[in-house]
């Protein structure tokens, strides 16, 4: 599947979020491999490369099909390219 990688019974999904969403938190929607629409809450302060887990949303276990693996969400924080004016505005906020 183009959106998911399989690791045993677990599925890995790469989610790109911007740096503001990483700082304050956000909710993302994921169309799972089985057609279900999932909602994942990303907590504020999440770091690039973090793994979040949705239990029971992965692939069925080969030996026990009623048991499903996890959906692991790997967070990829994206940082925008800013103009000089935008950089100045951020500096004026005294947060950077």
């Amino acid at each position: 599947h183009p959106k998911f990688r399989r690791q045993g019974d677990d599925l890995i999904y790469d989610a790109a979020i911007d740096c503001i969403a990483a700082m304050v938190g956000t909710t993302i929607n994921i169309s799972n491999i089985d057609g279900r629409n999932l909602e994942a809450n990303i907590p504020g302060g999440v770091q690039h490369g973090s793994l979040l887990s949705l239990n029971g949303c992965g692939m069925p276990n080969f030996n026990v099909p009623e048991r499903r693996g996890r959906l692991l969400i790997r967070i990829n924080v994206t940082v925008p390219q800013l103009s000089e004016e935008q950089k100045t505005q951020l500096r004026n906020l005294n947060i950077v």
Side-chain angles (χ1 to χ4, degrees):
H1 192 280
K3 293 183 182 179
F4 301 96
R5 288 191 321 276
R6 186 172 183 164
Q7 185 175 353
D9 296 340
D10 295 336
L11 292 174
I12 301 172
Y13 175 81
D14 289 312
I17 62 171
D18 63 46
C19 59
I20 302 297
M23 288 188 283
V24 301
T26 190
T27 300
I28 61 171
N29 293 306
I30 302 168
S31 183
N32 202 9
I33 200 165
D34 62 6
R36 290 184 294 165
N37 288 317
L38 305 173
E39 191 173 89
N41 293 316
I42 311 299
V46 69
Q47 298 296 306
H48 178 78
S50 295
L51 282 177
L52 306 176
S53 176
L54 295 178
N55 294 328
C57 295
M59 296 300 291
N61 180 277
F62 183 74
N63 295 318
V64 186
E66 307 81 52
R67 187 177 348 152
R68 297 179 74 92
R70 302 169 295 170
L71 174 60
L72 300 173
I73 304 166
R74 184 186 333 262
I75 302 299
N76 295 311
V77 178
T78 59
V79 179
Q81 296 291 322
L82 300 176
S83 68
E84 287 305 316
E85 180 182 341
Q86 291 168 321
K87 289 177 189 178
T88 300
Q89 289 173 346
L90 280 175
R91 287 184 189 105
N92 289 338
L93 291 173
N94 293 320
I95 59 172
V96 291

